[in-house]
Amino acid sequence: MFSRNDFNIWSVLKNCIGKELSKITMPVVFNEPLSFLQRMTEYMEYAKLLRVASEQATPLERLKYVSAFAVSALASNWERLGKPFNPLLGETYELTRPDFRIICEQVSHHPPISAFHADSDSFRFHGSIHPKLKFWGKSVEIQPKGTVTVEFPKLNEAYSWSNVNCCVHNVIVGKLWIEQYGMMEVVSHQHGMKATLNFKPSGWNNKDLHRVEGYITDRNKRKTHFLYGKWTEFIKCTDYASYEEYVKENAHKFKRNADDRSKSPNESPGNTPRKVLSKLNSLKMSSFKSLSIQEPDDPPEPSEGDIPKSDSTYSIDIPNSVALWEAESRPANTAEYYQFTNFAMSLNQLEDHMKQPRALCPTDSRLRPDIRKLEQGDLDGAAAEKTRLEEKQRETRKKSKKGQEELVIFPRWFKQETNPHTKQEDWIYKGGYWERNDDNLELDIF
C-alpha cells in the first residue's frame, strides 16, 4: 500500500462536517484495492460457523453459532482504514468456495445500495446494505444500514440482524484507529429467542476496548446464556448462572466508571482539544455549528490522539464457557498490504478459469481497471481510471434520461420486495446468475 503521510485528509473533510460523505469524491490514495461488494463478501470469511450452526441439535445451540457468525463478520474491519471503491450501478461480484457461493450486485446508485445472496447445501445468507458515512469533526462514522438474514431451509428456520456502527477516530490529529459500537439483536423468528449483543465503546480508560457482551433470552424473555468476547478475537458462551456467580466475584470488570458515563459521546466544540480547535477555527461559523450535532450512540473518543491499548486487568474468562469462534491470525506482512486478512487478499484474484472468454460476468469487480491499477501500485493510473468511470456513469445516466441510449436494465439479479421473515422491504435474489449466458449481451460499465 501507499504511504498516506504526504496526503492531508483534513483538506478533503474540512468542508464536510455533519454531512454524509457518499457524495464526496475522495482521493484514490485513501482507497484500498477492493470494491465495497468485495468488502461485503468478507462477511463470509467464517461461513463455516453457519454450517456448524445448521448441524446443531437444538434452536438454542443454532442461535449461539449464528450470533458468533454475526460478530465474526466484523473482525476483518479492525485496522482496515482504507475506503473501498464505490461500486458502479450494475457492478457485480461473485465468489465460490468449497462451502459456499455468493453473488453481490450494486442495485441502486442514489442512494447507494449493495445486495448479496450466499448459499450452500445447509444455509442461505442474504441482505442489502445502504452504508452512510458522516464526518463529526474528529471522527468518521460509518452506519451500515440494512438487515441481513440467515435461513436454514432444511430446518425451516430464519435468523436476522442489523450490523452495528463503525467509527474511525483521530482523522485530524493523531493516529487513525477504528471501533465498532452499538446494540445488535440476532432474532430467531421461529422460536421467539433472541441474542442481544452490546458492542461497547472503548471508554476513557480503554477497559472496554473491542468488548462484546450480551444475553440470549427465550420466548418468555428469560435470560438463559451469557455471550462475551472481543469482536477482533473471539466469542464465548456460558450459562447465565455461571455468569452471575462470576460477576459476584469480579464486579469491577463489568461496572462502568461514572467518569465514562459522563463523557459526551462525540465531543462538542467546547471539549475539543486545543490542537483540534486550531484547525476548526478556520471554518465558517455555519460549518462550526454543525459540529455540535450529537447522536446518542456515538462512541466516546479518548483524550489523546493515540491508538488505545486493551487493559488486561479487565479481561474476562468465565468458568463453564465454550468458545464459539476465534479469529484467524493475519499474514505477517499485513501492515504493508492494507491490513488485509488472508481471505481479503484473495478477493481480487483473477483465477485461471476466470480468464476464459465470458467465464466471468463482464460486470464483475475484478475487471475494474481503477481497482486493478491501485493493486498494482499505479496510483496516478488508478486516479485517472476512477475519474473516467465516474464520468462515464454520469454520462450514461444523462443519455438514458434523454432517451438517447437503450440501457440494460439494472439490477439484473435482485428485486425489491418484502422479506418474509422481517416483514421489511429488502432486495431479494431473483435467481439465474449461476446459469446465465452472457454471450449475446453487451455490458460495458467499465
Side-chain angles (χ1 to χ4, degrees):
M1 64 177 286
F2 290 93
S3 169
R4 299 187 178 115
N5 294 337
D6 297 332
F7 297 87
N8 184 3
I9 194 170
W10 174 248
S11 64
V12 180
L13 294 179
K14 63 183 178 182
N15 298 319
C16 308
I17 296 177
K19 296 179 182 177
E20 191 183 335
L21 297 185
S22 61
K23 299 179 177 64
I24 307 299
T25 299
M26 298 286 286
V28 75
V29 71
F30 295 115
N31 284 77
E32 61 177 22
L34 289 177
S35 165
F36 181 73
L37 299 183
Q38 293 166 305
R39 186 75 179 256
M40 194 165 61
T41 301
E42 293 186 57
Y43 281 169
M44 303 303 295
E45 181 167 2
Y46 298 98
K48 63 184 180 183
L49 291 171
L50 294 182
R51 177 184 54 78
V52 172
S54 72
E55 296 168 351
Q56 300 304 303
T58 67
L60 172 62
E61 292 300 313
R62 291 193 283 274
L63 176 58
K64 290 179 185 179
Y65 281 97
V66 171
S67 300
F69 172 77
V71 176
S72 76
L74 306 176
S76 68
N77 289 341
W78 174 234
E79 296 188 314
R80 289 280 290 282
L81 299 168
K83 178 184 178 296
F85 283 74
N86 294 333
L88 305 171
L89 181 62
E91 184 176 332
T92 58
Y93 181 73
E94 67 172 70
L95 186 70
T96 302
R97 289 288 185 263
D99 48 350
F100 70 88
R101 63 183 184 180
I102 184 172
I103 168 63
C104 310
E105 183 177 16
Q106 189 70 3
V107 296
S108 173
H109 185 59
H110 291 300
I113 302 175
S114 309
F116 68 91
H117 179 93
D119 57 47
S120 76
D121 292 337
S122 55
F123 67 82
R124 288 196 293 259
F125 177 47
H126 57 89
S128 54
I129 305 297
H130 172 196
K132 284 182 173 289
L133 282 73
K134 283 194 173 182
F135 176 48
W136 294 107
K138 293 196 303 172
S139 60
V140 172
E141 180 185 48
I142 302 101
Q143 302 170 343
K145 295 182 178 295
T147 302
V148 298
T149 303
V150 166
E151 299 177 14
F152 298 128
K154 295 175 184 176
L155 301 167
N156 193 31
E157 283 183 1
Y159 303 77
S160 65
W161 65 93
S162 296
N163 283 317
V164 295
N165 290 350
C166 179
C167 189
V168 180
H169 294 280
N170 298 339
V171 295
I172 303 174
V173 176
K175 296 179 180 178
L176 294 174
W177 65 281
I178 196 168
E179 72 174 326
Q180 311 269 174
Y181 62 94
M183 302 299 293
M184 174 189 286
E185 287 188 347
V186 183
V187 178
S188 170
H189 291 282
Q190 279 67 39
H191 303 286
M193 294 185 298
K194 182 191 297 183
T196 304
L197 298 166
N198 180 13
F199 288 68
K200 296 188 169 189
S202 62
W204 280 64
N205 58 3
N206 303 326
K207 64 175 274 191
D208 288 335
L209 185 67
H210 305 156
R211 270 170 67 168
V212 181
E213 293 174 8
Y215 310 95
I216 291 179
T217 52
D218 61 20
R219 64 171 60 251
N220 299 315
K221 299 185 178 179
R222 182 177 63 92
K223 294 175 181 176
T224 63
H225 288 77
F226 181 69
L227 295 160
Y228 67 100
K230 295 186 175 183
W231 59 268
T232 52
E233 296 178 33
F234 68 92
I235 286 293
K236 294 182 179 181
C237 183
T238 188
D239 62 276
Y240 198 67
S242 295
Y243 160 71
E244 289 187 305
E245 188 65 30
Y246 185 85
V247 170
K248 288 177 184 176
E249 300 173 6
N250 301 273
H252 68 285
K253 295 184 178 182
F254 293 89
K255 288 181 180 177
R256 294 185 69 84
N257 296 334
D259 286 347
D260 280 352
R261 287 194 296 270
S262 66
K263 299 296 182 184
S264 61
N266 242 325
E267 294 175 329
S268 64
N271 295 326
T272 305
R274 281 193 300 274
K275 45 189 178 176
V276 178
L277 271 176
S278 64
K279 293 264 190 182
L280 294 176
N281 282 338
S282 62
L283 292 176
K284 298 175 183 176
M285 283 307 295
S286 59
S287 298
F288 190 69
K289 287 175 185 174
S290 67
L291 179 61
S292 64
I293 297 171
Q294 307 231 348
E295 296 194 6
D297 291 333
D298 288 348
E301 297 203 25
S303 55
E304 297 299 328
D306 296 327
I307 299 175
K309 291 181 173 56
S310 182
D311 188 338
S312 59
T313 308
Y314 299 102
S315 60
I316 301 169
D317 190 10
I318 304 174
N320 304 317
S321 293
V322 174
L324 301 174
W325 161 74
E326 291 183 11
E328 294 182 8
S329 58
R330 297 191 183 186
N333 57 353
T334 183
E336 299 168 35
Y337 293 91
Y338 300 90
Q339 299 290 353
F340 281 1
T341 63
N342 279 311
F343 186 82
M345 284 188 177
S346 72
L347 294 179
N348 209 41
Q349 179 71 17
L350 265 173
E351 299 169 33
D352 289 341
H353 70 89
M354 297 176 181
K355 298 175 183 177
Q356 304 300 319
R358 295 297 189 181
L360 198 60
C361 189
T363 53
D364 195 276
S365 301
R366 296 177 184 85
L367 303 176
R368 278 189 64 160
D370 51 352
I371 295 178
R372 187 63 63 188
K373 284 184 180 296
L374 182 62
E375 183 183 274
Q376 293 168 345
D378 182 358
L379 188 63
D380 292 338
E385 285 292 347
K386 180 171 177 281
T387 300
R388 181 185 68 81
L389 290 176
E390 289 168 350
E391 290 176 352
K392 180 175 182 176
Q393 185 166 237
R394 281 193 288 270
E395 284 300 312
T396 302
R397 286 173 62 85
K398 286 179 186 175
K399 288 180 180 179
S400 66
K401 285 179 180 177
K402 294 178 180 178
Q404 296 175 356
E405 189 169 301
E406 188 175 332
L407 294 176
V408 175
I409 302 300
F410 293 122
R412 292 178 70 197
W413 309 113
F414 292 82
K415 58 184 175 181
Q416 199 169 17
E417 59 183 42
T418 302
N419 183 316
H421 307 291
T422 64
K423 311 303 181 190
Q424 298 173 347
E425 279 292 298
D426 204 349
W427 288 88
I428 306 297
Y429 178 53
K430 293 192 289 191
Y433 177 83
W434 303 102
E435 300 77 33
R436 74 190 186 283
N437 184 342
D438 295 324
D439 288 346
N440 299 315
L441 190 62
E442 291 300 324
L443 289 173
D444 181 25
I445 65 172
F446 302 141

